[in-house]
Amino acid sequence: MVKNVTVTVSDKDGQKDIKAEVVLMAVGVQANIENLGLEAIGVKTERGFIAVNEFGNTNIESIYAIGDVAGPPLLAHVASHEGIVAIDRIAGKANHGIDKTNIPSCTYCQPQVASIGLTEEAAIAKGHKVKIGRFPFRPLGKALAIGETEGIVKLIFDERKGELLGAHIIGSEATEMIAELGIAKALEATWEELHNTMHAHPTLSEAVTEAAGQAFDVAIHS
Ligand SMILES: Cc1cc2nc3c(=O)[nH]c(=O)nc-3n(C[C@H](O)[C@H](O)[C@H](O)COP(=O)(O)OP(=O)(O)OC[C@H]3O[C@@H](n4cnc5c(N)ncnc54)[C@H](O)[C@@H]3O)c2cc1C
């Protein structure tokens, strides 16, 4: 087994060697849209992806594109959802289309990381006055019971309407917990609705209701 690795990298300051035990390399992903004859029939592309609307229609309405070829985020659940939306559209069924502001983004590392919607910075940049709620895993009975006390839920709300704008979780089961916040965001739930929804004890999701209350200074366990 290799014990040490030397990686030679080049950046604006020149070339340098970095010694490490392990190298994790993440290569980029690009759409495989060459040699499909898109140019010949005039299907529009943008930055290497096929340009589509929220229903998957290209500029030639009867031609659809879904999945990685139709642009970021390049994720399996996005591809699958886009497929359903496009088929509904073709079959003449009502469908809201893809809402790119409501796509869960999950990293299956330890601790897990999961997000949906806007970050605090993005919400402010969009002109929202925000209220932020945070709740750590450490005081949660479930976190103590399963020995997973490292973690936090952060929720971003619009101050005026109270609407959930974004949610970010780091910790055990973060990729499972993000689902309820996806529903909350899709239904334009407010901090009050999240805070007043009874969450079972002991569960990690108690951090969601606590963070919602914390944002508007009514948390019981802050
Ligand atoms: C290593 C890795 C890990 C990943 N992990 C995750 C994850 O944990 N969660 C997640 O959400 N996403 C993950 N993804 C991304 C996810 O796999 C893709 O977003 C998803 O597969 C896209 O689906 P798709 O149908 O658009 O494309 P694909 O799944 O790539 O399917 C395209 C198909 O078209 C075929 N094809 C290509 N060209 C032609 C042609 N000319 N004629 C006929 N057939 C053709 C290909 O062979 C392939 O079968 C991962 C990707 C990689 C590479």
Side-chain angles (χ1 to χ4, degrees):
M1 191 170 147
V2 179
K3 290 225 172 99
N4 285 301
V5 190
T6 304
V7 183
T8 305
V9 294
S10 303
D11 62 16
K12 60 180 172 38
D13 302 321
Q15 193 168 298
K16 60 186 167 195
D17 287 345
I18 299 172
K19 290 195 189 305
E21 288 172 17
V22 177
V23 175
L24 282 179
M25 191 171 69
V27 293
V29 181
Q30 63 185 56
N32 184 3
I33 59 168
E34 279 156 21
N35 306 320
L36 294 178
L38 298 177
E39 305 79 15
I41 52 174
V43 171
K44 204 173 145 205
T45 61
E46 273 171 13
R47 295 195 200 112
F49 296 99
I50 300 172
V52 293
N53 65 12
E54 69 270 38
F55 301 105
N57 302 99
T58 65
N59 59 309
I60 301 174
E61 208 185 329
S62 59
I63 299 180
Y64 289 74
I66 60 145
D68 284 1
V69 293
L74 311 186
L75 295 168
H77 44 280
V78 177
S80 148
H81 219 84
E82 286 174 346
I84 294 165
V85 167
I87 294 293
D88 274 355
R89 184 79 159 178
I90 292 164
K93 286 190 183 170
N95 195 306
H96 290 295
I98 297 292
D99 175 3
K100 288 215 169 177
T101 69
N102 209 21
I103 293 175
S105 168
C106 297
T107 311
Y108 304 89
C109 50
Q110 268 186 321
Q112 296 180 9
V113 185
S115 294
I116 199 149
L118 299 175
T119 61
E120 180 179 351
E121 292 74 18
I124 292 168
K126 281 189 121 198
H128 291 280
K129 275 194 103 179
V130 296
K131 282 280 202 182
I132 308 295
R134 292 187 182 83
F135 198 81
F137 277 22
R138 194 164 293 280
L140 297 172
K142 180 66 178 280
L144 289 165
I146 61 172
E148 296 279 0
T149 50
E150 293 298 316
I152 189 166
V153 171
K154 175 180 177 182
L155 303 180
I156 295 114
F157 296 96
D158 179 82
E159 183 177 25
R160 193 170 59 83
K161 293 184 186 162
E163 182 185 339
L164 178 69
L165 300 174
H168 309 275
I169 309 174
I170 298 177
S172 177
E173 307 299 338
T175 59
E176 304 290 340
M177 290 168 68
I178 203 70
E180 78 159 303
L181 293 157
I183 295 171
K185 193 165 175 310
L187 296 176
E188 299 176 358
T190 64
W191 73 273
E192 268 179 309
E193 286 158 339
L194 273 170
H195 186 56
N196 291 338
T197 299
M198 212 182 287
H199 285 66
H201 174 79
T203 61
L204 296 176
S205 65
E206 285 176 281
V208 170
T209 184
E210 296 282 4
Q214 208 258 346
F216 287 80
D217 306 320
V218 296
I220 295 167
H221 305 103
S222 60

